[in-house]
Amino acid sequence: QVQLMESGGGLVQAGESLRLSCAASGSFAGINNMGWYRQTPGKQRELVAEISTGGATNYAASVKGRFTVSRDNTKNTVYLQMNSLKPEDTAVYYCKADVRTSYTGRYWGQGTQVTVSS
C-alpha cells in the first residue's frame, strides 16, 4: 500500500510564500516522476509542476519563475516552494507520484488547501 502525505497548505496574503511537502510511504521499488497539480471548483485538475528522478522539471506557464519544485530521493519527498503568491493561485493542491511496485502506478495525495487573499 502506497500513501502520499501532504503538508504545508494554508491562508496567506498576496505576495507571500508557502512551501508544500509530500512524502511517500509504503512498500515500493522506487518513484519515477513526482509533482503537484491543483484544482478549483468546477475546473479540471491542472499540472503545476513536476520533477523526474534525475531532477528535470516542468512548470505550468502561470507559475514559472514563482514556484520551484524539488525532491529528496532519500526521503521519497517532493516539495513545492511557492513565492509571490497571487489570489488566482488559490486551489486545492494535490501531490502526485508515479510509483514502481510490481507495476508503475500513479498515486495521489489527499489534497491541501492553499488560499491567497488579496
Side-chain angles (χ1 to χ4, degrees), residues 35-67:
W36 296 91
Y37 286 67
R38 66 188 181 187
Q39 189 170 23
T40 54
K43 293 189 176 181
Q44 286 191 333
R45 194 172 294 188
E46 63 175 8
L47 172 70
V48 176
E50 61 183 352
I51 183 168
S52 71
T53 305
T57 57
N58 180 39
Y59 293 94
S62 60
V63 307
K64 200 171 292 186
R66 299 187 298 122
F67 291 10

Side-chain angles (χ1 to χ4, degrees), residues 39-115:
Q39 189 170 23
T40 54
K43 293 189 176 181
Q44 286 191 333
R45 194 172 294 188
E46 63 175 8
L47 172 70
V48 176
E50 61 183 352
I51 183 168
S52 71
T53 305
T57 57
N58 180 39
Y59 293 94
S62 60
V63 307
K64 200 171 292 186
R66 299 187 298 122
F67 291 10
T68 302
V69 62
S70 60
R71 64 190 285 177
D72 184 337
N73 293 329
T74 65
K75 297 180 179 179
N76 296 315
T77 299
V78 63
Y79 307 95
L80 185 67
Q81 177 67 41
M82 304 185 291
N83 298 330
S84 302
L85 281 160
K86 303 175 181 180
E88 51 263 44
D89 294 318
T90 295
V92 177
Y93 284 70
Y94 295 91
C95 168
K96 179 269 297 187
D98 297 328
V99 181
R100 302 194 304 275
T101 55
S102 56
Y103 65 98
T104 299
R106 177 156 295 182
Y107 293 83
W108 295 91
Q110 79 284 1
T112 185
Q113 178 71 45
V114 172
T115 303

